[in-house]
Amino acid sequence: MIPKATVLLLGGSTEASAISRMLGERASAVPGAIGVDLITSFAGRTRSPTVPFGSVRIGGFGGIDGLVDHLRGNRVIAVIDALHPFASVMAFHASEACARVGLPLLKVQRPPWTSGPDDRWIEVDDMGDVRRAIDRVDPRRVLLSIGRQELDPFRDIVGPTFLVRSIEPADLHGSWDATALLDRGPFTESGERTLLERERIDLLVTKNSGGTATAPKLAAAAALAIPVAVLRRPPVPDVRTVPTVGEALAWLDGVLQVSG
Ligand code: NAP
């Protein structure tokens, strides 16, 4: 059987979930309204991800060549890169693979956060810079809000204690004094303020993820005059990019009209 034309959605972000949910709502309102299959692809960092619409594939493609094979083998007609803004390797792979196969590619990228007058940001480029910021600030207790994949640079830091917030359990081995906090956004400013005060946090470390779900920690830190080490975003490929899910769906409608 010839597979149906497919749209590949590179997931792992709130935008990807929203795209899948909104396509699902359309499909249940008008059966057959979405004339293509949607495959949402996850790297496999989260256990058993589910999607409201279409199917899921999990795990790397095997580099650019593997992605090219996947695109060709699954009759993919368009790719939406709704990756987290820090997933830059995959974003470059998608750009290169789509160029090779000649497929339309859209990147959905929420704008980064920007600092205001009350913020005490220390903007840094990588985890090495974060370490240097920790040395400089000399905190007693650090809230690491960077996920659980990139904790290695901190495992041997002795002095401050660390509270590591992540959605899934983090591996906290090492000589550092670290405790886990399992939680997921969206957060509120009052909740974040309570956390920062209760835990006596005097340095917050975050990626500049952007979006509203996790932004309240920044307002709470500003209100309490707590410094924040903010990782700047990595470079992304120069591809067509929109900031919102609504614009991504409008783009997809255009692609489907042309291909249908
Ligand atoms: P990355 O550094 O850009 O990619 C590393 C490798 O992981 C890629 O080369 C690819 O393997 C595989 N990969 C990444 N995203 C994939 C996807 N959606 N589907 C299939 N394979 C994928 O990625 P990352 O920063 O580790 O992020 C991994 C996933 O977590 C992404 O889906 C991202 O949206 C999500 N996420 C990342 C962050 C973050 O801070 N980095 C935060 C929240 C969510 P192959 O080369 O084998 O194809």
Side-chain angles (χ1 to χ4, degrees), residues 1-16:
M1 198 175 82
I2 302 170
K4 216 170 165 186
T6 297
V7 172
L8 178 66
L9 176 64
L10 298 172
S13 67
T14 46
E15 287 77 9

Side-chain angles (χ1 to χ4, degrees), residues 45-47 147-149 151 164-172 180-183:
R45 315 274 192 263
T46 309
R47 263 170 280 147
R148 67 193 171 109
Q149 305 287 345
L151 301 177
V164 179
R165 182 163 72 184
S166 57
I167 296 174
E168 304 242 343
D171 171 3
L172 298 184
L181 174 63
L182 281 186
D183 208 352

